């Protein structure tokens, strides 16, 4: 296996913030230390500085507090990448912190948020010129890398496990899954659920925004639909086309049933009976949500349905963080943005004829999905190294998966399947 990165992995870490040692930096580190000690005591997080067992083991305190004090949450993640600290149960410790995210920093500091948080670089705005580079940064790492921890469907989004549910009006809430539930089966259930929500049947003309590695398109073709799928990842396009060709040969599907194009969603033309999009909206960006839904509204045929799977966050947190540059933006998803349900409803009502019809929430299912991904990724340590990635990448990816799991396990973020119909 080989990495498709243009530069060696070992050369990619020059952007880790250098340690600072001036008077202001030392003051910031001292403040970070005081806040951290109080937070650990308040929430029962044991801390070790000498390597003895604890919830959080800080190997290099000066580096840890310097990075956190001067670069906030970006520094917190970077200090994990460099090995300045470890946690026996990384996901569990991060979940505790996520549960208290609004109270970790003193109120007086939160009021000064705008003066110290980093702003996203202009180069990461999701303009038509920038978006492909943002997507490639993550999804073009290596198909072989993703295959190491994803299930055989190659689904890189939350699974939907078989659990009880409660429906209240236009919202259905899924009960938490049992740890260790079959992931491949749950990923298939997720895809079939969203195809059902969009009304995909034999003869349907389907637009998929965000191809992934082709599983949804293949399943829609099995239903007798004709699918046009668009992506900005050349790696995903290549494997999705290959997987569909294999399905044609093995199952006798129509050879023209699926078309996978390397195309920005803003350039899509035509008319479609169903528009589906699974966890692609997070790559659209706050300021481009109107163009995303306006495009969908333009291409949706009369009587058609829209079904998207979206990671969402509470509206107040979205407003507070929408212009913040985070560790996730810097290292994992440049240009990413998590909307709120209120924001999606507001944008579609003000800019389109689309109306939110129903939503199913299942954030705890994403926590279990991520737990299983991280377990598989960690078990693939040697294969990841053989693929050309280094130990810093392994720590970065492990932190990313567990940090994300903590967000869903704590309820700080959610995932939903949302159906839209056009207002008559």
């Amino acid at each position: 296996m080989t990495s498709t990165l243009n530069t060696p992995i070992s050369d990619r870490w020059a952007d880790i913030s250098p340690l600072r040692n001036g008077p202001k930096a030392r003051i910031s580190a001292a403040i970070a230390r005081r806040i951290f000690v109080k937070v650990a005591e308040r929430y029962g997080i044991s801390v070790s500085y000498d390597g003895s067992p604890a919830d959080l083991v800080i190997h290099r305190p000066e580096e840890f507090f310097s990075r956190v004090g001067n670069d906030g949450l970006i520094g917190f993640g970077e200090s994990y990448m460099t090995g300045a600290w470890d946690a026996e149960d990384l996901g569990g410790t991060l979940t505790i912190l996520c549960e208290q995210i609004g109270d970790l920093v003193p109120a007086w500091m939160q009021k000064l948020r705008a003066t110290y948080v980093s702003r996203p670089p202009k180069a990461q705005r999701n303009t038509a010129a920038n978006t492909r580079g943002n997507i490639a940064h993550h999804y073009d790492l290596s198909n072989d890398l993703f295959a190491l921890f994803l299930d055989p469907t190659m689904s890189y989004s939350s699974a939907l496990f078989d659990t009880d549910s409660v429906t209240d009006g236009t919202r259905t809430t899924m009960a938490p899954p049992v740890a260790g539930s079959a992931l491949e089966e749950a990923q298939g259930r997720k895809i079939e659920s969203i195809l059902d929500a969009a009304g995909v049947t034999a003869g349907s003309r389907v637009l998929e925004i965000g191809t992934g590695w082709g599983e949804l398109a293949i399943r829609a073709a099995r239903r007798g639909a004709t699918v046009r799928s668009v992506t900005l990842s050349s790696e995903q396009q290549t494997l999705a086309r290959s997987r569909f060709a294999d399905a044609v040969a093995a199952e006798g599907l129509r050879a023209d049933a699926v078309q996978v194009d390397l195309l920005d969603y803003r350039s899509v033309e035509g008319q479609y009976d169903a528009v589906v999009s699974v966890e692609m909206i997070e790559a659209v960006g706050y300021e481009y949500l109107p163009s995303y839904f306006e495009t969908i509204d333009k291409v949706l045929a009369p009587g058609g349905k829209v079904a998207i799977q979206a990671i969402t966050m509470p509206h107040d947190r979205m407003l507070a963080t929408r212009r913040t540059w985070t560790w996730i933006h810097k290292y994992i998803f440049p240009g990413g943005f998590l909307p709120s349900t209120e924001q999606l409803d507001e944008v579609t009502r003000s800019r389109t004829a689309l109306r939110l019809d129903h939503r199913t929430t299942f954030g705890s299912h994403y926590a279990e999905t991520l737990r299983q991904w991280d377990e598989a990724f960690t078990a693939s340590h040697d294969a990841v190294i053989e693929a050309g990635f280094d130990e810093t990448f392994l720590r970065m990816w492990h932190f990313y998966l567990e940090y994300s799991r903590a967000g869903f396990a704590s309820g700080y973020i959610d995932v939903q399947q949302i159906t839209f119909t056009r207002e008559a």
Side-chain angles (χ1 to χ4, degrees):
M1 294 185 295
T2 58
S3 167
T4 59
L5 292 166
N6 294 324
T7 57
I9 284 289
S10 57
D11 295 341
R12 296 184 66 231
W13 311 116
D15 54 354
I16 292 180
S17 303
L19 290 174
R20 305 173 198 174
N21 197 34
K24 290 184 178 180
R26 289 194 292 272
I27 292 172
S28 296
I31 293 173
R33 182 187 288 267
R34 287 197 295 270
I35 293 174
F36 174 81
V37 169
K38 289 182 179 179
V39 167
E41 291 177 350
R42 187 187 313 154
Y43 300 116
I45 299 173
S46 60
V47 181
S48 166
Y49 298 94
D50 60 6
S52 57
D55 295 326
L56 199 150
V57 179
I58 301 180
H59 304 294
R60 300 191 295 276
E62 289 189 8
E63 177 186 345
F64 176 77
F65 291 115
S66 176
R67 292 192 182 281
V68 174
N70 291 284
D71 295 294
L73 289 177
I74 290 178
F76 183 68
E78 288 184 336
S79 61
Y80 185 83
M81 290 168 63
T82 65
W85 66 277
D86 276 301
E88 182 176 352
D89 178 9
L90 179 60
T93 300
L94 292 175
T95 297
I96 294 173
L97 296 176
C98 282
E99 287 173 342
Q100 312 298 333
I101 194 72
D103 299 320
L104 296 180
V105 176
W108 66 269
M109 288 187 69
Q110 293 187 37
K111 293 179 180 179
L112 300 175
R113 179 184 179 87
T115 65
Y116 66 83
V117 295
S118 301
R119 297 301 183 190
K122 291 184 179 180
Q124 288 192 6
R125 291 178 62 229
N126 282 311
T127 63
N130 292 342
T131 300
R132 185 170 180 184
N134 287 342
I135 294 297
H137 176 90
H138 187 84
Y139 294 98
D140 285 353
L141 280 170
S142 164
N143 287 336
D144 292 332
L145 171 70
F146 287 100
L148 289 174
F149 67 92
L150 298 181
D151 71 281
T153 70
M154 288 294 287
S155 296
Y156 191 39
S157 51
S158 180
L160 181 60
F161 296 92
D162 187 11
T163 65
D164 293 335
S165 64
V166 176
T167 299
D168 182 9
T170 61
R171 177 176 179 174
T172 298
T173 302
M174 303 298 298
V178 175
S181 298
L183 183 59
E184 182 178 358
E185 178 183 324
Q187 290 290 12
R189 182 179 296 105
K190 176 268 303 293
I191 295 171
E192 298 298 339
S193 173
I194 206 162
L195 291 175
D196 287 344
V200 175
T201 59
S204 294
R205 298 166 298 172
V206 179
L207 171 66
E208 180 186 23
I209 301 177
T211 304
W213 284 277
E215 184 71 16
L216 185 149
I218 291 171
R219 287 174 178 261
R222 287 175 183 154
R223 295 186 176 206
T226 299
V227 185
R228 186 185 190 190
S229 186
V230 297
T231 179
L232 286 177
S233 167
S234 57
E235 288 289 295
Q236 289 189 335
Q237 181 194 40
T238 298
L239 186 53
R241 285 178 168 177
S242 175
R243 293 184 71 212
F244 177 65
D246 290 344
V248 169
E251 303 175 35
L253 300 178
R254 289 188 357 255
D256 62 348
V258 173
Q259 174 182 336
V260 183
D261 295 329
L262 199 64
L263 186 72
D264 190 290
Y265 70 88
R266 285 165 283 209
S267 299
V268 172
E269 300 288 345
Q271 289 281 284
Y272 302 91
D273 305 304
V275 178
V276 294
S277 187
V278 178
E279 292 181 32
M280 180 274 173
I281 197 171
E282 301 83 1
V284 169
Y286 174 76
E287 61 191 309
Y288 298 103
L289 281 178
S291 63
Y292 172 81
F293 282 110
E294 286 168 354
T295 298
I296 292 174
D297 193 24
K298 178 185 70 174
V299 302
L300 187 66
K305 290 184 177 181
V306 179
I308 67 171
Q309 184 162 307
I311 301 172
T312 58
M313 67 189 312
H315 192 62
D316 60 337
R317 296 303 303 169
M318 184 211 76
L319 293 175
T321 61
R322 60 185 168 177
R323 294 188 175 89
T324 300
W325 194 45
T326 67
W327 182 88
I328 287 286
H329 291 126
K330 185 173 182 179
Y331 290 100
I332 307 298
F333 293 114
F337 164 74
L338 303 185
S340 66
T341 304
E342 292 90 335
Q343 182 70 10
L344 299 181
D345 190 42
E346 178 185 322
V347 169
T348 50
R349 286 184 177 278
S350 64
R351 303 295 288 267
T352 74
L354 302 175
R355 296 294 178 265
L356 196 157
D357 183 62
H358 189 85
R359 58 194 181 105
T360 298
T361 64
F362 51 110
S364 60
H365 294 232
Y366 219 150
E368 173 61 15
T369 301
L370 284 153
R371 190 195 65 77
Q372 294 197 33
W373 286 348
D374 186 60
E375 187 177 79
F377 176 77
T378 302
S380 300
H381 175 281
D382 292 347
V384 175
I385 295 296
E386 290 174 6
F389 299 89
D390 66 6
E391 294 290 344
T392 302
F393 179 88
L394 280 156
R395 292 184 67 86
M396 178 190 77
W397 206 261
H398 176 52
F399 186 83
Y400 148 58
L401 292 173
E402 289 295 84
Y403 181 68
S404 300
R405 177 166 76 93
F408 291 103
S410 67
Y412 179 70
I413 52 179
D414 201 353
V415 66
Q416 308 184 54
Q417 285 190 359
I418 308 173
T419 306
F420 297 87
T421 55
R422 182 181 283 123
E423 187 174 57

